[in-house]
């Protein structure tokens, strides 16, 4: 029975072959499942890398926009501060100028009052002096480029 084919050997061979084939199919299915699991792991790792890279890119873009916005806000705040300082300076100068003009007006008014008072006093004094006129006597002499002057006022 070593080289002959009989229906019984044929059936055994088919059974053995089918068992071997089913064993191979099972091993191939296991290997296929293992490969599929490995492929799924590689795909999930790759997708995770892509998602992380996309998130990193988005985060960096957001960070750049935030830095730009902060610089814009800082510039606007500085411009507002400068404008407020200029407005305050203008107001202070206006107040100082107004105070100076008021003080100048008050001083001028006091000066004009004092000048008017001096004129009144002078006019009264001149009137009084003219009413009580005395005698003025005097003589002068020029000696060696010098003037000698003697004045004598007599009030009567």
């Amino acid at each position: 029975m070593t080289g002959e084919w009989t229906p019984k050997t044929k059936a055994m061979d088919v059974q053995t072959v089918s068992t071997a084939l089913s064993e191979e199919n099972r091993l191939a299915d296991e290997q296929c499942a293992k490969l599929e699991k490995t492929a799924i792991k590689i795909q999930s790792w790759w997708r995770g890398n892509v998602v992380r890279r996309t998130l990193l890119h988005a985060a960096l873009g957001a960070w750049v926009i935030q830095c730009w916005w902060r610089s814009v806000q800082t510039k606007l705040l500085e411009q507002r501060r400068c404008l407020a300082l200029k407005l305050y300076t203008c107001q202070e100068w206006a107040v100082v100028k107004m105070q100076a003009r008021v003080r100048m007006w008050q001083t001028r008014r006091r000066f004009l009052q004092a000048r008017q008072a001096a004129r009144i006093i002078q006019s009264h004094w001149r009137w009084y002096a003219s009413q009580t006129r005395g005698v003025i006597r005097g003589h002068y002499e020029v000696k060696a480029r010098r003037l000698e002057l003697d004045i004598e006022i007599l009030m009567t």
Side-chain angles (χ1 to χ4, degrees), residues 28-103:
D29 285 346
E30 283 179 10
Q31 192 175 12
C32 192
K34 200 176 198 179
L35 284 173
E36 192 176 333
K37 281 184 179 179
T38 306
I40 289 172
K41 283 184 180 181
I42 291 171
Q43 286 175 349
S44 66
W45 172 80
W46 179 251
R47 286 184 192 126
N49 279 341
V50 169
V51 167
R52 280 188 289 279
R53 191 179 318 140
T54 305
L55 287 175
L56 179 64
H57 184 69
L60 287 174
W63 180 70
V64 167
I65 291 170
Q66 288 171 351
C67 288
W68 171 79
W69 182 248
R70 285 186 195 115
S71 71
V72 167
Q73 290 293 86
T74 304
K75 287 177 186 175
L76 287 175
L77 181 63
E78 189 62 29
Q79 285 176 350
R80 278 190 240 134
R81 284 182 183 166
C82 285
L83 184 63
L85 182 63
K86 286 179 183 177
L87 181 63
Y88 175 75
T89 305
C90 284
Q91 288 175 346
E92 284 298 310
W93 272 107
V95 168
V96 167
K97 286 180 182 179
M98 184 60 82
Q99 288 174 345
R101 287 184 184 256
V102 167
R103 289 185 185 126

